[in-house]
């Protein structure tokens, strides 16, 4: 394939290599920018590297949107990410073996969607009312769908057989609330209390057929397809977590709606839900009650049985995730003004189940990171690294930390 003229190759070791040259031990974020693209976190002993090149803001995907595509031939696995600069916003790819970065799309002023189709080797995204798909290997782009004037909505997820995109439509009245009150602290309760209609929908990835699934005056949000069942769509009732039974599923064929977890006490909260890789469990942040005791809980979708892992206040994280082999978890930590009010929670964490609790290991000190940008951790495809975004170098950049400790 012809090399793109904007290709950038970062110097240093391949991300997935097992050997490591001696690295300097540094306080993460102590210098802006850091003196090198790789260092050993002085507080944890783990190797950290910046994956994305300086110059503009680079952001990895939201915690439950998988950004990876498998390697082809001798190439490394690919990760898709967002790049923004004065020209606008575009999607780029990074080869996790060579760390070569290439533009995937042209620049847009606004772009959303962040959906990777690993089987099709396409990336779906949206600008305005139009949904596109770009092939990662050929860079060929096709128009998938244009939302009609009376149903302007946004895609957020792709089903397991990659035939249906999904999302939720919001009314013009709700969009006006968001326009007038752009800060979450101002719009969040207003939208919840407005009880305006929302509609779940799917759009076919070939032919662009729109299907409306379900409408409710609850604030339907956080829409995710199962990674294994093409018909199963998860969504939430958004709003103050202590006031809602949040997590639901819908069968896109039968339209049957089911509650996943029922609140059991006053001020119980749960959310930031995601599917396990095998699709059998939905995991979520769980507090019994809010701000008192902290768990990561999973509900088995077949039996309804739940498994809770307790963690400390400082270990509470904005978002959690689970490894590809489902043996370990990770979290992106929290900040003092977050729901846990953790005085020392600004870390990237690895969690190992130990009975009914998590045994936590700190991987990166994020004391210099501003949590207005949520780190949103992802396990690398081989499970050996955690990938996250941070702003401790001044710009938003994408980083990886090695789960194994660096050689002393």
């Amino acid at each position: 394939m012809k090399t793109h003229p904007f290709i950038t190759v970062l110097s240093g070791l391949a991300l997935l290599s097992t050997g490591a040259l001696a690295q300097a031990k540094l306080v993460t974020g102590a210098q802006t920018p850091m003196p090198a693209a790789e260092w050993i976190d002085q507080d944890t002993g783990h190797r950290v590297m910046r994956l994305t090149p300086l110059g503009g803001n680079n952001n990895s995907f939201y915690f439950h949107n998988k950004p990876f595509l498998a390697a082809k031939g001798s190439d490394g696995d690919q990760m898709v990410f967002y790049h923004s600069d004065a020209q606008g916003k575009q999607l780029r790819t990074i080869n996790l073996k060579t760390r070569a970065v290439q533009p995937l799309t042209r620049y847009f002023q606004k772009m959303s969607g962040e959906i990777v189709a690993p089987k099709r080797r396409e990336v779906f995204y949206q600008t305005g009312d139009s949904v596109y798909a770009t092939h990662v290997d050929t860079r060929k782009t096709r128009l998938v769908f244009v939302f009609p004037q009376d149903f302007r909505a946004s895609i957020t997820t792709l089903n397991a057989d990659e035939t249906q995109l999904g999302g939720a439509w919001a009314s013009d009245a709700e969009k006006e609330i968001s326009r007038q009150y752009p800060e979450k602290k101002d719009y969040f309760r207003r939208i919840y209390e407005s009880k305006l209609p929302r509609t779940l929908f799917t759009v076919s990835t070939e032919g662009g057929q729109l299907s409306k699934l379900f409408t409710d005056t609850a604030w339907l949000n956080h829409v995710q397809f199962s990674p294994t069942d093409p018909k199963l769509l998860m969504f939430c009732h958004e709003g103050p977590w202590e006031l809602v039974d949040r997590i639901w599923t819908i069968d896109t064929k039968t339209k049957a709606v089911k509650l996943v977890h029922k609140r059991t006490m006053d001020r119980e909260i749960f959310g930031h839900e995601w599917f396990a890789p095998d699709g059998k469990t939905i995991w979520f942040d769980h507090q019994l009650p809010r701000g008192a005791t902290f768990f990561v809980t999973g509900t088995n979708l077949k039996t309804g049985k739940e498994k809770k892992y307790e963690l400390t206040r400082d270990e509470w994280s904005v978002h959690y995730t689970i490894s590809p082999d489902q043996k370990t978890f990770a979290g992106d930590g929290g900040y003092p003004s977050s729901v846990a009010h953790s005085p020392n929670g600004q870390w990237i964490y690895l969690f190992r189940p130990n009975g009914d609790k998590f045994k936590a290991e700190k991987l990166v000190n994020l004391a210099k990171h501003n949590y207005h940008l949520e780190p949103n951790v992802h396990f690398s495809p081989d499970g050996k690294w955690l990938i996250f975004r941070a702003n401790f170098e001044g710009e938003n950049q994408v980083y990886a930390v090695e789960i194994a400790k660096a050689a002393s």
Side-chain angles (χ1 to χ4, degrees):
M1 184 180 73
K2 184 179 179 181
T3 302
H4 195 286
F6 294 111
I7 187 169
T8 303
V9 180
L10 304 183
S11 62
L13 300 173
L15 171 59
L16 301 182
S17 65
T18 55
L21 300 175
Q23 300 289 327
K25 288 189 175 181
L26 299 170
V27 174
T28 297
Q31 300 180 46
T32 306
M34 295 292 285
E38 299 183 29
W39 63 95
I40 305 299
D41 187 293
Q42 182 174 295
D43 298 294
T44 70
H46 288 267
R47 182 159 65 120
V48 182
M49 64 173 67
R50 180 180 1 96
L51 297 180
T52 47
L54 296 174
N57 286 297
N58 296 297
N59 284 298
S60 51
F61 284 2
Y62 194 46
F63 80 104
H64 65 66
N65 285 3
K66 302 304 180 187
F68 305 112
L69 296 108
K72 292 192 71 177
S74 60
D75 290 342
D77 292 325
Q78 301 248 12
M79 185 184 77
V80 183
F81 66 96
Y82 277 121
H83 171 78
S84 302
D85 58 30
Q87 298 179 71
K89 189 174 184 179
Q90 64 177 194
L91 289 168
R92 292 183 172 183
T93 61
I94 181 168
N95 184 304
L96 295 180
K97 180 180 180 181
T98 65
R99 285 190 272 171
V101 174
Q102 289 188 326
L104 181 62
T105 65
R106 65 181 177 88
Y107 278 104
F108 294 94
Q109 286 305 305
K110 292 184 179 180
M111 177 191 283
S112 61
E114 58 180 50
I115 303 168
V116 171
K119 299 171 188 174
R120 303 176 67 98
R121 298 192 68 80
E122 288 184 315
V123 179
F124 292 89
Y125 53 96
Q126 183 171 344
T127 177
D129 58 5
S130 299
V131 178
Y132 295 95
T134 296
H135 197 280
V136 171
D137 304 314
T138 66
R139 302 302 196 264
K140 183 177 180 180
T141 297
R142 62 188 179 92
L143 178 65
V144 177
F145 183 69
V146 178
F147 283 100
Q149 184 69 34
D150 62 350
F151 197 83
R152 294 293 177 86
S154 300
I155 58 167
T156 59
T157 188
L158 176 69
N159 72 344
D161 63 10
E162 301 185 355
T163 61
Q164 299 287 328
L165 295 159
W169 167 87
S171 67
D172 289 341
E174 181 184 319
K175 292 170 186 171
E176 181 61 18
I177 294 174
S178 298
R179 189 193 67 79
Q180 290 186 30
Y181 304 97
E183 296 293 327
K184 183 175 181 179
K185 64 181 178 62
D186 298 322
Y187 73 70
F188 195 74
R189 187 170 285 270
R190 283 181 169 89
I191 292 178
Y192 167 72
E193 292 177 346
S194 69
K195 305 300 181 186
L196 292 165
R198 273 211 170 202
T199 299
L200 300 176
F201 68 89
T202 60
V203 170
S204 58
T205 56
E206 297 286 348
Q209 181 177 347
L210 173 68
S211 299
K212 299 175 184 178
L213 297 175
F214 175 69
T215 299
D216 199 344
T217 54
W219 182 3
L220 310 180
N221 202 13
H222 219 238
V223 181
Q224 303 168 57
F225 267 114
S226 163
T228 55
D229 183 348
K231 306 184 303 299
L232 189 63
L233 186 68
M234 175 172 59
F235 63 97
C236 83
H237 285 191
E238 191 66 271
W241 287 10
E242 66 271 19
L243 300 179
V244 293
D245 281 324
R246 180 178 163 100
I247 308 171
W248 302 74
T249 61
I250 183 171
D251 185 307
T252 61
K253 296 298 184 184
T254 67
K255 309 299 196 302
V257 174
K258 185 177 180 180
L259 180 64
V260 173
H261 174 82
K262 179 73 176 175
R263 292 172 62 238
T264 61
M265 65 167 62
D266 184 47
R267 293 185 62 76
E268 174 183 358
I269 67 171
F270 52 98
H272 284 162
E273 54 282 339
W274 82 98
F275 278 102
D278 62 9
K280 295 178 180 179
T281 303
I282 290 175
W283 293 96
F284 46 91
D285 172 13
H286 195 188
Q287 299 174 36
L288 294 162
R290 175 188 172 102
T293 55
F294 304 88
F295 303 87
V296 172
T297 299
T299 300
N300 184 291
L301 293 175
K302 184 176 181 179
T303 66
K305 185 178 179 180
E306 294 194 343
K307 176 64 178 176
K308 292 184 178 68
Y309 293 110
E310 188 173 1
L311 61 168
T312 70
R313 182 178 302 277
D314 281 346
E315 294 160 2
W316 173 85
S317 295
V318 180
H319 300 106
Y320 303 94
T321 191
I322 191 170
S323 61
D325 64 8
Q326 303 187 91
K327 293 181 179 179
T328 55
F329 293 75
D332 54 9
Y335 45 101
S337 61
S338 63
V339 64
H341 297 291
S342 49
N344 183 27
Q346 293 177 244
W347 303 85
I348 297 296
Y349 286 105
L350 182 74
F351 299 117
R352 295 180 174 90
N354 183 20
D356 293 331
K357 298 181 183 296
F358 276 154
K359 183 177 180 181
E361 181 179 3
K362 296 172 179 174
L363 302 187
V364 187
N365 187 339
L366 291 186
K368 305 295 185 182
H369 168 70
N370 184 335
Y371 267 77
H372 283 102
L373 176 73
E374 298 169 343
N376 283 291
V377 285
H378 295 266
F379 280 90
S380 62
D382 65 0
K384 295 181 179 179
W385 297 77
L386 283 176
I387 295 170
F388 63 98
R389 60 194 186 190
N391 51 31
F392 51 73
E393 290 191 274
E395 299 173 319
N396 299 350
Q397 299 295 344
V398 184
Y399 301 86
V401 57
E402 193 170 20
I403 291 173
K405 268 202 171 182
S408 56

